[in-house]
Amino acid sequence: MTPPGRRHGVLDSAAGLVPFGHLGWGYRRRRDFAQRANEYLTDGLRHGQRVVYVGAGTVDTLNEEVDGLRRHMPVDVADGWVEVIPVDEFYVFERGSDVVDPDASVLARVAATEQALAQGFTGFRAVVDVTAVARTERQRESFSMFELLIDQQMARLPVSALCAYDVSALGAAADKLMCLHPYVNAGSVPIRVYTGIGADLTVSGHLQSHARHDVIDVLRDAWRRSGRPEITVDARAAGGDGHTAVHALTELEAAAAFDGVFVTLWTAQAGAAALADRLGLNHVRIDVVPETGEDIAVEHLHARIAQLTNRMAGAPAIEQAKGMLMLTFELSDDAAFALLRQLSQDNNVVLREVAERVVAAFLSHGPRPGRDVATEFLRGVRDELRNLPR
């Protein structure tokens, strides 16, 4: 049985990618980047990860940016440790240049992840504004290889990153970098290419005419880098119109023939093999590998969980607490609110703070259904409220 691929998607929020998720985010307004950074850092802190904030500027200016983010963080993580690293110290650069050395930089990130684990963290998570190292064509060429290589590590190690790109500064040149992530923001790029499970690479999304060149360039970079004569690409989650597919397959055949490699392409579309025969492909083989009902169900479940988590992350604390109580202990909306209000009155603590404590307890200990365990959980929250300094 062909294994299901990595989780992927198009998102409206950076919240909910837990424990890990490699996210490319194109922003036009700095406020949008700050909101996404806040969400991504919050999840990392709540899950005991070492979190770092990387951008152009000095340690002092980056600390000021993080202080601004903290004012909008939930109370349970607002004082959590966020390390700041200037972008020119986070990456390793080619000697005497502003071009990222992809191999050395990946080794540095792997070492940092191993160090985080040795220090007792559950993983490594970075929010990086990549714009400063992606302004020139030479920088982007090198950084695209870094993105390709680091995603291979993210498929097997407890490390993830939100890679942010200022598209108002970079324009369409950011697209090839953005597409190298399993997760991207809505309205950014239509297609993504990233490390697969069972296959060397996975392609997902909607293949449009203007994006097919980026996809083929990435595939070509990958097989040239590997040095292997064959490569397998899982394209079961990719779609597009027939005209674009013909052009893409023809160009992929030409690239593979020029480099002397053989590409096996997985697709769920029954007519694809016949199309390959009509095109006379010699260096590209299409295998029809239908997704099982289980694969699709799991993917839908992941998507539903991400949607709910994103929605909860943006809700006020009282709504979050009510939702957690309703979901876990099967309470109605009114009953969940009544329980919060009772805790507030019994302990002489404002309702918002009660809700924040409930949310923090759930995120720390996990929701546990069952009446006896529910009673124990709520008693724990009550004891915390009673011990608050007055």
Side-chain angles (χ1 to χ4, degrees), residues 6-7 47-48 64 98 129 132 157 168 175 178 180 190 196 201 203 217-218 248 251 286 301 340 355 366 368 385:
R6 282 170 73 191
R7 291 170 56 187
H47 285 78
E64 290 176 3
D98 58 358
D129 188 340
L157 292 176
S168 64
D175 288 357
M178 288 283 297
L180 293 168
L201 289 170
V203 180
D217 283 348
V218 171
E251 292 171 13
I286 296 180
L301 179 59
L340 292 173
R368 302 172 181 177
L385 293 170

Side-chain angles (χ1 to χ4, degrees), residues 220-230 260-261:
R220 200 168 197 175
D221 288 343
W223 72 55
R224 285 178 171 176
R225 177 72 188 197
S226 72
R228 290 163 43 210
E230 297 184 12
V261 300

Side-chain angles (χ1 to χ4, degrees), residues 180-259:
L180 293 168
H181 301 78
Y183 292 101
V184 296
N185 60 305
S188 56
V189 291
I191 199 82
R192 287 105 59 206
V193 186
Y194 47 91
T195 299
I197 295 178
D200 297 296
L201 289 170
T202 295
V203 180
S204 62
H206 187 79
L207 183 61
Q208 298 178 359
S209 180
H210 70 277
R212 71 176 190 269
H213 303 298
D214 287 340
V215 173
I216 293 173
D217 283 348
V218 171
L219 297 179
R220 200 168 197 175
D221 288 343
W223 72 55
R224 285 178 171 176
R225 177 72 188 197
S226 72
R228 290 163 43 210
E230 297 184 12
I231 186 172
T232 300
V233 180
D234 183 351
R236 290 177 295 171
D241 63 75
H243 181 74
T244 302
V246 168
H247 281 288
L249 287 172
T250 302
E251 292 171 13
L252 182 61
E253 167 72 16
F258 184 87
D259 288 341

Side-chain angles (χ1 to χ4, degrees), residues 51-113:
V51 296
V52 301
Y53 180 85
V54 182
T58 66
V59 169
D60 288 341
T61 59
L62 293 174
N63 270 320
E64 290 176 3
E65 291 181 21
V66 171
D67 287 342
L69 296 177
R70 290 187 192 280
R71 289 195 288 269
H72 303 284
M73 282 184 175
V75 65
D76 60 304
V77 297
D79 294 327
W81 181 51
V82 177
E83 181 181 3
V84 300
I85 305 178
V87 70
D88 56 3
E89 297 178 16
F90 186 71
Y91 297 108
V92 181
F93 292 84
E94 295 179 359
R95 187 182 298 274
S97 78
D98 58 358
V99 176
V100 168
D101 182 326
D103 292 288
S105 294
V106 168
L107 289 175
R109 292 303 99 226
V110 171
T113 302

Side-chain angles (χ1 to χ4, degrees), residues 138-155:
R138 179 71 184 90
Q139 285 180 313
R140 290 189 292 272
E141 178 184 343
S142 184
F143 201 79
S144 67
M145 181 56 67
F146 170 80
E147 288 280 27
L148 192 64
L149 295 177
I150 197 63
D151 190 66
Q152 293 174 0
Q153 301 300 323
M154 291 181 180

Side-chain angles (χ1 to χ4, degrees), residues 28 37 50 55 96 116 119 132 171 197 208 224 244 250 326-327 377:
R28 294 187 178 277
R50 178 186 172 192
Q119 293 171 337
I197 295 178
Q208 298 178 359
R224 285 178 171 176
T244 302
T250 302
M326 291 167 62
L327 178 65
F377 170 81

